[in-house]
Amino acid sequence: MKRRALVKSTILFGIIAAFLGFIYLSNPIVLNGSNSTVENPGGDKDIVIHFHNEGISRVQLKEVLINKRVNNEVELGISYDTSQIVQSGTDNKLIVFGELDSEYVNPQIPSEEIVGIINRKEMTPIHYGLRIKDYGEPIESITIKYRYLGFPVSKEFTFTNGL
């Protein structure tokens, strides 16, 4: 009887460890490899870093560290029902910026479905970006802390030449 309980608990522990390993190793947040910079009339520069969620579930952003320091000037940008990427300084009313945890980041929509989604006009989020407002020094790293499948996860991106 003890042997059977030991086998069951070992299997259960293995399943839990595999699930947690999947969550922490999958890291669904992926940078698109592009960003946009807009210089405001006052001389301030806004940088928008484009990203998407390659995971199986939605993600909720919690905090963004720039060069390993907390920065309160980071906002989540979402473009709804438009093929236009998230960018600062545009008059497009379908691109909205807000608090990091104000909206979920849904899994990336397959490209063949985007035209149909735009035509339905249901305010579906399509593109995501992080807007960093008026950051004065070169950005060498960004750490994104978020919740994925209910668990806290973080992912660090480094930039060898800075942003």
Side-chain angles (χ1 to χ4, degrees):
M1 198 56 124
K2 289 182 182 181
R3 182 179 173 109
R4 189 176 265 182
L6 179 63
V7 169
K8 286 182 181 180
S9 56
T10 302
I11 290 172
L12 181 62
F13 177 76
I15 291 170
I16 292 170
F19 178 71
L20 290 175
F22 166 76
I23 289 172
Y24 288 104
L25 295 175
S26 66
N27 278 326
I29 299 292
V30 177
L31 299 185
N32 289 355
S34 65
N35 60 56
S36 58
T37 304
V38 172
E39 189 167 340
N40 299 321
D44 299 336
K45 288 185 181 179
D46 291 349
I47 300 171
V48 177
I49 299 170
H50 307 112
F51 71 96
H52 61 272
N53 174 1
E54 288 187 345
I56 59 172
S57 179
R58 64 189 187 174
V59 167
Q60 186 172 31
L61 301 182
K62 291 298 185 183
E63 185 177 47
V64 173
L65 304 174
I66 299 174
N67 296 339
K68 303 194 188 290
R69 293 188 304 265
V70 175
N71 187 301
N72 295 325
E73 296 295 320
V74 179
E75 297 175 315
L76 173 63
I78 303 173
S79 69
Y80 295 93
D81 292 344
T82 178
S83 59
Q84 187 175 6
I85 60 172
V86 177
Q87 51 192 320
S88 191
T90 181
D91 292 336
N92 190 338
K93 292 180 181 14
L94 296 175
I95 296 176
V96 178
F97 290 94
E99 297 291 320
L100 286 176
D101 60 355
S102 63
E103 296 285 335
Y104 287 97
V105 176
N106 296 314
Q108 184 176 20
I109 298 170
S111 58
E112 60 271 5
E113 295 178 20
I114 289 178
V115 172
I117 288 171
I118 291 171
N119 291 336
R120 285 196 298 269
K121 298 186 186 302
E122 296 173 340
M123 290 300 287
T124 304
I126 296 177
H127 299 285
Y128 298 91
L130 292 172
R131 177 168 67 179
I132 304 166
K133 297 179 69 85
D134 191 31
Y135 199 74
E137 62 186 74
I139 297 174
E140 296 169 356
S141 70
I142 294 177
T143 304
I144 302 173
K145 295 183 179 186
Y146 56 95
R147 291 190 74 74
Y148 181 56
L149 296 173
F151 293 92
V153 183
S154 68
K155 185 168 186 177
E156 183 174 4
F157 301 94
T158 56
F159 308 99
T160 53
N161 298 329
L163 283 181

PDB file of all heavy atoms in Angstrom, residues 79-106:
ATOM      1  N   SER A  79      -3.731  48.340 -30.611  1.00  0.00           N
ATOM      2  CA  SER A  79      -4.453  48.798 -31.796  1.00  0.00           C
ATOM      3  C   SER A  79      -5.632  47.858 -32.009  1.00  0.00           C
ATOM      4  O   SER A  79      -5.476  46.648 -32.057  1.00  0.00           O
ATOM      5  CB  SER A  79      -3.555  48.857 -33.026  1.00  0.00           C
ATOM      6  OG  SER A  79      -3.190  47.572 -33.453  1.00  0.00           O
ATOM      7  N   TYR A  80      -6.816  48.452 -32.083  1.00  0.00           N
ATOM      8  CA  TYR A  80      -8.055  47.702 -32.256  1.00  0.00           C
ATOM      9  C   TYR A  80      -8.522  47.811 -33.698  1.00  0.00           C
ATOM     10  O   TYR A  80      -8.583  48.904 -34.258  1.00  0.00           O
ATOM     11  CB  TYR A  80      -9.157  48.278 -31.348  1.00  0.00           C
ATOM     12  CG  TYR A  80      -8.883  48.130 -29.884  1.00  0.00           C
ATOM     13  CD1 TYR A  80      -8.252  49.130 -29.168  1.00  0.00           C
ATOM     14  CD2 TYR A  80      -9.275  46.983 -29.201  1.00  0.00           C
ATOM     15  CE1 TYR A  80      -8.016  49.000 -27.804  1.00  0.00           C
ATOM     16  CE2 TYR A  80      -9.044  46.849 -27.844  1.00  0.00           C
ATOM     17  CZ  TYR A  80      -8.414  47.860 -27.154  1.00  0.00           C
ATOM     18  OH  TYR A  80      -8.177  47.727 -25.809  1.00  0.00           O
ATOM     19  N   ASP A  81      -8.895  46.685 -34.286  1.00  0.00           N
ATOM     20  CA  ASP A  81      -9.509  46.639 -35.616  1.00  0.00           C
ATOM     21  C   ASP A  81      -8.768  47.460 -36.658  1.00  0.00           C
ATOM     22  O   ASP A  81      -9.388  48.122 -37.500  1.00  0.00           O
ATOM     23  CB  ASP A  81     -10.971  47.102 -35.541  1.00  0.00           C
ATOM     24  CG  ASP A  81     -11.846  46.126 -34.773  1.00  0.00           C
ATOM     25  OD1 ASP A  81     -11.413  44.992 -34.561  1.00  0.00           O
ATOM     26  OD2 ASP A  81     -12.956  46.507 -34.384  1.00  0.00           O
ATOM     27  N   THR A  82      -7.466  47.456 -36.618  1.00  0.00           N
ATOM     28  CA  THR A  82      -6.682  48.147 -37.635  1.00  0.00           C
ATOM     29  C   THR A  82      -5.401  47.360 -37.882  1.00  0.00           C
ATOM     30  O   THR A  82      -4.877  46.722 -36.976  1.00  0.00           O
ATOM     31  CB  THR A  82      -6.354  49.597 -37.223  1.00  0.00           C
ATOM     32  OG1 THR A  82      -5.557  50.201 -38.239  1.00  0.00           O
ATOM     33  CG2 THR A  82      -5.614  49.677 -35.912  1.00  0.00           C
ATOM     34  N   SER A  83      -4.929  47.413 -39.104  1.00  0.00           N
ATOM     35  CA  SER A  83      -3.668  46.735 -39.408  1.00  0.00           C
ATOM     36  C   SER A  83      -2.481  47.622 -39.054  1.00  0.00           C
ATOM     37  O   SER A  83      -1.341  47.217 -39.177  1.00  0.00           O
ATOM     38  CB  SER A  83      -3.618  46.338 -40.886  1.00  0.00           C
ATOM     39  OG  SER A  83      -3.752  47.482 -41.695  1.00  0.00           O
ATOM     40  N   GLN A  84      -2.755  48.843 -38.596  1.00  0.00           N
ATOM     41  CA  GLN A  84      -1.684  49.764 -38.212  1.00  0.00           C
ATOM     42  C   GLN A  84      -1.070  49.305 -36.889  1.00  0.00           C
ATOM     43  O   GLN A  84      -1.776  48.995 -35.936  1.00  0.00           O
ATOM     44  CB  GLN A  84      -2.247  51.178 -38.066  1.00  0.00           C
ATOM     45  CG  GLN A  84      -1.197  52.224 -37.828  1.00  0.00           C
ATOM     46  CD  GLN A  84      -1.794  53.636 -37.800  1.00  0.00           C
ATOM     47  OE1 GLN A  84      -3.002  53.814 -37.843  1.00  0.00           O
ATOM     48  NE2 GLN A  84      -0.923  54.614 -37.711  1.00  0.00           N
ATOM     49  N   ILE A  85       0.261  49.278 -36.850  1.00  0.00           N
ATOM     50  CA  ILE A  85       0.937  48.879 -35.614  1.00  0.00           C
ATOM     51  C   ILE A  85       0.751  49.967 -34.553  1.00  0.00           C
ATOM     52  O   ILE A  85       0.396  51.100 -34.865  1.00  0.00           O
ATOM     53  CB  ILE A  85       2.442  48.609 -35.848  1.00  0.00           C
ATOM     54  CG1 ILE A  85       3.135  49.861 -36.373  1.00  0.00           C
ATOM     55  CG2 ILE A  85       2.643  47.415 -36.754  1.00  0.00           C
ATOM     56  CD1 ILE A  85       4.644  49.742 -36.457  1.00  0.00           C
ATOM     57  N   VAL A  86       1.003  49.627 -33.322  1.00  0.00           N
ATOM     58  CA  VAL A  86       0.882  50.582 -32.226  1.00  0.00           C
ATOM     59  C   VAL A  86       2.000  51.603 -32.344  1.00  0.00           C
ATOM     60  O   VAL A  86       3.164  51.238 -32.441  1.00  0.00           O
ATOM     61  CB  VAL A  86       0.962  49.870 -30.860  1.00  0.00           C
ATOM     62  CG1 VAL A  86       0.906  50.856 -29.719  1.00  0.00           C
ATOM     63  CG2 VAL A  86      -0.150  48.843 -30.735  1.00  0.00           C
ATOM     64  N   GLN A  87       1.628  52.869 -32.371  1.00  0.00           N
ATOM     65  CA  GLN A  87       2.624  53.931 -32.440  1.00  0.00           C
ATOM     66  C   GLN A  87       2.106  55.163 -31.725  1.00  0.00           C
ATOM     67  O   GLN A  87       0.915  55.401 -31.636  1.00  0.00           O
ATOM     68  CB  GLN A  87       3.000  54.238 -33.873  1.00  0.00           C
ATOM     69  CG  GLN A  87       1.839  54.490 -34.794  1.00  0.00           C
ATOM     70  CD  GLN A  87       2.266  54.501 -36.246  1.00  0.00           C
ATOM     71  OE1 GLN A  87       3.309  55.037 -36.553  1.00  0.00           O
ATOM     72  NE2 GLN A  87       1.475  53.906 -37.107  1.00  0.00           N
ATOM     73  N   SER A  88       3.034  55.911 -31.215  1.00  0.00           N
ATOM     74  CA  SER A  88       2.732  57.140 -30.497  1.00  0.00           C
ATOM     75  C   SER A  88       2.627  58.284 -31.500  1.00  0.00           C
ATOM     76  O   SER A  88       3.180  58.223 -32.589  1.00  0.00           O
ATOM     77  CB  SER A  88       3.854  57.412 -29.495  1.00  0.00           C
ATOM     78  OG  SER A  88       3.503  58.419 -28.615  1.00  0.00           O
ATOM     79  N   GLY A  89       1.916  59.329 -31.137  1.00  0.00           N
ATOM     80  CA  GLY A  89       1.852  60.519 -31.967  1.00  0.00           C
ATOM     81  C   GLY A  89       0.953  60.399 -33.179  1.00  0.00           C
ATOM     82  O   GLY A  89       1.066  61.173 -34.117  1.00  0.00           O
ATOM     83  N   THR A  90       0.036  59.461 -33.190  1.00  0.00           N
ATOM     84  CA  THR A  90      -0.882  59.301 -34.311  1.00  0.00           C
ATOM     85  C   THR A  90      -2.279  59.767 -33.908  1.00  0.00           C
ATOM     86  O   THR A  90      -2.616  59.773 -32.727  1.00  0.00           O
ATOM     87  CB  THR A  90      -0.930  57.837 -34.793  1.00  0.00           C
ATOM     88  OG1 THR A  90      -1.816  57.747 -35.906  1.00  0.00           O
ATOM     89  CG2 THR A  90      -1.395  56.901 -33.710  1.00  0.00           C
ATOM     90  N   ASP A  91      -3.077  60.146 -34.887  1.00  0.00           N
ATOM     91  CA  ASP A  91      -4.455  60.561 -34.623  1.00  0.00           C
ATOM     92  C   ASP A  91      -5.432  59.394 -34.710  1.00  0.00           C
ATOM     93  O   ASP A  91      -6.636  59.593 -34.600  1.00  0.00           O
ATOM     94  CB  ASP A  91      -4.877  61.639 -35.635  1.00  0.00           C
ATOM     95  CG  ASP A  91      -4.116  62.928 -35.430  1.00  0.00           C
ATOM     96  OD1 ASP A  91      -3.630  63.167 -34.303  1.00  0.00           O
ATOM     97  OD2 ASP A  91      -3.990  63.703 -36.395  1.00  0.00           O
ATOM     98  N   ASN A  92      -4.939  58.187 -34.925  1.00  0.00           N
ATOM     99  CA  ASN A  92      -5.792  57.017 -35.052  1.00  0.00           C
ATOM    100  C   ASN A  92      -6.462  56.722 -33.715  1.00  0.00           C
ATOM    101  O   ASN A  92      -5.808  56.374 -32.735  1.00  0.00           O
ATOM    102  CB  ASN A  92      -4.970  55.818 -35.522  1.00  0.00           C
ATOM    103  CG  ASN A  92      -5.820  54.644 -35.911  1.00  0.00           C
ATOM    104  OD1 ASN A  92      -6.960  54.508 -35.491  1.00  0.00           O
ATOM    105  ND2 ASN A  92      -5.251  53.775 -36.729  1.00  0.00           N
ATOM    106  N   LYS A  93      -7.775  56.837 -33.678  1.00  0.00           N
ATOM    107  CA  LYS A  93      -8.539  56.615 -32.440  1.00  0.00           C
ATOM    108  C   LYS A  93      -8.623  55.131 -32.061  1.00  0.00           C
ATOM    109  O   LYS A  93      -9.070  54.800 -30.980  1.00  0.00           O
ATOM    110  CB  LYS A  93      -9.931  57.213 -32.573  1.00  0.00           C
ATOM    111  CG  LYS A  93      -9.913  58.729 -32.633  1.00  0.00           C
ATOM    112  CD  LYS A  93     -11.297  59.280 -32.754  1.00  0.00           C
ATOM    113  CE  LYS A  93     -11.414  60.767 -32.850  1.00  0.00           C
ATOM    114  NZ  LYS A  93     -10.293  61.579 -33.116  1.00  0.00           N
ATOM    115  N   LEU A  94      -8.185  54.265 -32.955  1.00  0.00           N
ATOM    116  CA  LEU A  94      -8.197  52.833 -32.678  1.00  0.00           C
ATOM    117  C   LEU A  94      -6.899  52.349 -32.037  1.00  0.00           C
ATOM    118  O   LEU A  94      -6.745  51.169 -31.773  1.00  0.00           O
ATOM    119  CB  LEU A  94      -8.480  52.055 -33.967  1.00  0.00           C
ATOM    120  CG  LEU A  94      -9.864  52.318 -34.577  1.00  0.00           C
ATOM    121  CD1 LEU A  94      -9.996  51.593 -35.904  1.00  0.00           C
ATOM    122  CD2 LEU A  94     -10.967  51.919 -33.629  1.00  0.00           C
ATOM    123  N   ILE A  95      -5.974  53.262 -31.785  1.00  0.00           N
ATOM    124  CA  ILE A  95      -4.758  52.951 -31.039  1.00  0.00           C
ATOM    125  C   ILE A  95      -4.885  53.623 -29.683  1.00  0.00           C
ATOM    126  O   ILE A  95      -4.996  54.843 -29.591  1.00  0.00           O
ATOM    127  CB  ILE A  95      -3.499  53.437 -31.774  1.00  0.00           C
ATOM    128  CG1 ILE A  95      -3.354  52.694 -33.105  1.00  0.00           C
ATOM    129  CG2 ILE A  95      -2.259  53.227 -30.908  1.00  0.00           C
ATOM    130  CD1 ILE A  95      -2.204  53.159 -33.959  1.00  0.00           C
ATOM    131  N   VAL A  96      -4.902  52.809 -28.636  1.00  0.00           N
ATOM    132  CA  VAL A  96      -5.181  53.294 -27.289  1.00  0.00           C
ATOM    133  C   VAL A  96      -4.029  52.909 -26.364  1.00  0.00           C
ATOM    134  O   VAL A  96      -3.533  51.778 -26.414  1.00  0.00           O
ATOM    135  CB  VAL A  96      -6.505  52.682 -26.768  1.00  0.00           C
ATOM    136  CG1 VAL A  96      -6.799  53.134 -25.365  1.00  0.00           C
ATOM    137  CG2 VAL A  96      -7.661  53.010 -27.705  1.00  0.00           C
ATOM    138  N   PHE A  97      -3.616  53.841 -25.510  1.00  0.00           N
ATOM    139  CA  PHE A  97      -2.584  53.580 -24.499  1.00  0.00           C
ATOM    140  C   PHE A  97      -3.216  53.657 -23.115  1.00  0.00           C
ATOM    141  O   PHE A  97      -4.105  54.475 -22.875  1.00  0.00           O
ATOM    142  CB  PHE A  97      -1.453  54.610 -24.597  1.00  0.00           C
ATOM    143  CG  PHE A  97      -0.611  54.448 -25.825  1.00  0.00           C
ATOM    144  CD1 PHE A  97      -0.894  55.178 -26.975  1.00  0.00           C
ATOM    145  CD2 PHE A  97       0.437  53.555 -25.849  1.00  0.00           C
ATOM    146  CE1 PHE A  97      -0.136  55.034 -28.116  1.00  0.00           C
ATOM    147  CE2 PHE A  97       1.211  53.402 -26.990  1.00  0.00           C
ATOM    148  CZ  PHE A  97       0.921  54.137 -28.124  1.00  0.00           C
ATOM    149  N   GLY A  98      -2.746  52.796 -22.211  1.00  0.00           N
ATOM    150  CA  GLY A  98      -3.267  52.802 -20.853  1.00  0.00           C
ATOM    151  C   GLY A  98      -2.305  52.121 -19.901  1.00  0.00           C
ATOM    152  O   GLY A  98      -1.168  51.794 -20.247  1.00  0.00           O
ATOM    153  N   GLU A  99      -2.780  51.896 -18.687  1.00  0.00           N
ATOM    154  CA  GLU A  99      -1.986  51.223 -17.656  1.00  0.00           C
ATOM    155  C   GLU A  99      -1.589  49.824 -18.120  1.00  0.00           C
ATOM    156  O   GLU A  99      -2.309  49.190 -18.893  1.00  0.00           O
ATOM    157  CB  GLU A  99      -2.783  51.118 -16.361  1.00  0.00           C
ATOM    158  CG  GLU A  99      -3.150  52.452 -15.738  1.00  0.00           C
ATOM    159  CD  GLU A  99      -1.945  53.177 -15.188  1.00  0.00           C
ATOM    160  OE1 GLU A  99      -1.072  52.525 -14.598  1.00  0.00           O
ATOM    161  OE2 GLU A  99      -1.885  54.402 -15.366  1.00  0.00           O
ATOM    162  N   LEU A 100      -0.450  49.351 -17.639  1.00  0.00           N
ATOM    163  CA  LEU A 100       0.053  48.037 -18.053  1.00  0.00           C
ATOM    164  C   LEU A 100      -0.952  46.917 -17.808  1.00  0.00           C
ATOM    165  O   LEU A 100      -1.119  46.035 -18.643  1.00  0.00           O
ATOM    166  CB  LEU A 100       1.355  47.706 -17.312  1.00  0.00           C
ATOM    167  CG  LEU A 100       2.597  48.450 -17.754  1.00  0.00           C
ATOM    168  CD1 LEU A 100       3.772  48.077 -16.869  1.00  0.00           C
ATOM    169  CD2 LEU A 100       2.920  48.165 -19.203  1.00  0.00           C
ATOM    170  N   ASP A 101      -1.612  46.937 -16.660  1.00  0.00           N
ATOM    171  CA  ASP A 101      -2.514  45.841 -16.321  1.00  0.00           C
ATOM    172  C   ASP A 101      -3.974  46.138 -16.641  1.00  0.00           C
ATOM    173  O   ASP A 101      -4.872  45.458 -16.171  1.00  0.00           O
ATOM    174  CB  ASP A 101      -2.347  45.449 -14.860  1.00  0.00           C
ATOM    175  CG  ASP A 101      -2.647  46.595 -13.904  1.00  0.00           C
ATOM    176  OD1 ASP A 101      -2.905  47.729 -14.361  1.00  0.00           O
ATOM    177  OD2 ASP A 101      -2.623  46.349 -12.680  1.00  0.00           O
ATOM    178  N   SER A 102      -4.231  47.164 -17.468  1.00  0.00           N
ATOM    179  CA  SER A 102      -5.606  47.540 -17.768  1.00  0.00           C
ATOM    180  C   SER A 102      -6.285  46.566 -18.733  1.00  0.00           C
ATOM    181  O   SER A 102      -7.495  46.442 -18.735  1.00  0.00           O
ATOM    182  CB  SER A 102      -5.672  48.959 -18.336  1.00  0.00           C
ATOM    183  OG  SER A 102      -4.973  49.025 -19.565  1.00  0.00           O
ATOM    184  N   GLU A 103      -5.525  45.899 -19.565  1.00  0.00           N
ATOM    185  CA  GLU A 103      -6.064  44.955 -20.553  1.00  0.00           C
ATOM    186  C   GLU A 103      -5.176  43.713 -20.590  1.00  0.00           C
ATOM    187  O   GLU A 103      -4.002  43.762 -20.256  1.00  0.00           O
ATOM    188  CB  GLU A 103      -6.079  45.582 -21.949  1.00  0.00           C
ATOM    189  CG  GLU A 103      -6.979  46.776 -22.102  1.00  0.00           C
ATOM    190  CD  GLU A 103      -8.448  46.422 -22.173  1.00  0.00           C
ATOM    191  OE1 GLU A 103      -8.776  45.292 -22.574  1.00  0.00           O
ATOM    192  OE2 GLU A 103      -9.266  47.281 -21.805  1.00  0.00           O
ATOM    193  N   TYR A 104      -5.764  42.628 -21.035  1.00  0.00           N
ATOM    194  CA  TYR A 104      -4.992  41.412 -21.255  1.00  0.00           C
ATOM    195  C   TYR A 104      -4.344  41.464 -22.634  1.00  0.00           C
ATOM    196  O   TYR A 104      -4.864  42.090 -23.550  1.00  0.00           O
ATOM    197  CB  TYR A 104      -5.886  40.168 -21.181  1.00  0.00           C
ATOM    198  CG  TYR A 104      -6.314  39.825 -19.780  1.00  0.00           C
ATOM    199  CD1 TYR A 104      -7.552  40.231 -19.291  1.00  0.00           C
ATOM    200  CD2 TYR A 104      -5.485  39.095 -18.948  1.00  0.00           C
ATOM    201  CE1 TYR A 104      -7.953  39.907 -18.007  1.00  0.00           C
ATOM    202  CE2 TYR A 104      -5.863  38.765 -17.657  1.00  0.00           C
ATOM    203  CZ  TYR A 104      -7.102  39.174 -17.191  1.00  0.00           C
ATOM    204  OH  TYR A 104      -7.486  38.859 -15.924  1.00  0.00           O
ATOM    205  N   VAL A 105      -3.222  40.756 -22.767  1.00  0.00           N
ATOM    206  CA  VAL A 105      -2.570  40.594 -24.061  1.00  0.00           C
ATOM    207  C   VAL A 105      -2.966  39.205 -24.549  1.00  0.00           C
ATOM    208  O   VAL A 105      -2.540  38.191 -24.001  1.00  0.00           O
ATOM    209  CB  VAL A 105      -1.034  40.725 -23.938  1.00  0.00           C
ATOM    210  CG1 VAL A 105      -0.373  40.463 -25.277  1.00  0.00           C
ATOM    211  CG2 VAL A 105      -0.658  42.088 -23.391  1.00  0.00           C
ATOM    212  N   ASN A 106      -3.816  39.181 -25.556  1.00  0.00           N
ATOM    213  CA  ASN A 106      -4.335  37.922 -26.087  1.00  0.00           C
ATOM    214  C   ASN A 106      -3.309  37.245 -26.989  1.00  0.00           C
ATOM    215  O   ASN A 106      -2.421  37.906 -27.528  1.00  0.00           O
ATOM    216  CB  ASN A 106      -5.620  38.183 -26.872  1.00  0.00           C
ATOM    217  CG  ASN A 106      -6.714  38.724 -25.976  1.00  0.00           C
ATOM    218  OD1 ASN A 106      -6.950  38.216 -24.898  1.00  0.00           O
ATOM    219  ND2 ASN A 106      -7.365  39.777 -26.430  1.00  0.00           N
TER     220      ASN A 106
END
